[in-house]
Amino acid sequence: MAIVEIADLSALLPAGTVVAGLDLGTKTIGLAVSDLGLRFATPRPVLARVKFTQDAVALRKALDEARCGAIVLGLPLNMDGSEGPRVQSTRAFARNYSRLDERPIAFWDERLSTVAAERGMIEADLSRRKRAAKIDSAAAAFILQGALDRLAGLAYEQDSI
């Protein structure tokens, strides 16, 4: 499958599968998955990055185990909305990964996701060490939750017509 718009994701999601959220970092890939009802995002353990091929194998295994039918990938736009080198890297990862996996991939603006995730963990009184180990997956959950909320809003708009 290819890269799709977020509005098309629900229609492309196979029955009985969930959506994965990814926060692509240079050292780790944060992972979160939705419930079957597409209402809640839950963080999963981060995947350590090595090389693209190894990353893709580990990611595909994690997605298969969680029964994910689609991916929401955080897009690290600059605060002014412009695209920098990190966006180019993320888009390249998505293009390359989509050649190896049939799951549709949708991008989601991830500005401030890490900040929001860290604030939540500070409020939960997690130590710096625990926050460092979980921040990427917490950010992935924040990204995925935003996308799930948008999908719910789109479904509500469709039902109102």
Side-chain angles (χ1 to χ4, degrees), residues 10 27 32-33 39 58 60 66 71 74 83 85 88 92 114 130 141 152:
S10 292
K27 296 180 183 178
V33 297
R39 289 183 178 87
R60 186 169 189 152
I71 300 167
E83 296 187 6
Q88 293 171 353
T114 301
K130 287 182 181 177

Side-chain angles (χ1 to χ4, degrees), residues 13-14 16-22 31-34 36 44 59-72 97 101-104 144:
L13 188 65
T17 62
V18 299
V19 178
L22 302 180
L31 175 63
V33 297
S34 73
L36 284 170
R44 293 288 176 94
L59 178 58
R60 186 169 189 152
K61 181 180 179 201
L63 296 176
D64 286 347
E65 288 173 359
R67 298 183 44 93
C68 294
I71 300 167
V72 173
Y97 187 77
D101 194 335
E102 67 285 349
R103 287 174 256 254
L144 179 57

Side-chain angles (χ1 to χ4, degrees), residues 75-84 87 91 109-111:
L75 195 63
L77 297 169
N78 294 325
M79 289 307 292
D80 64 0
S82 64
E83 296 187 6
V87 169
R91 288 189 189 279
D109 183 352
E110 72 166 47
R111 283 180 279 188

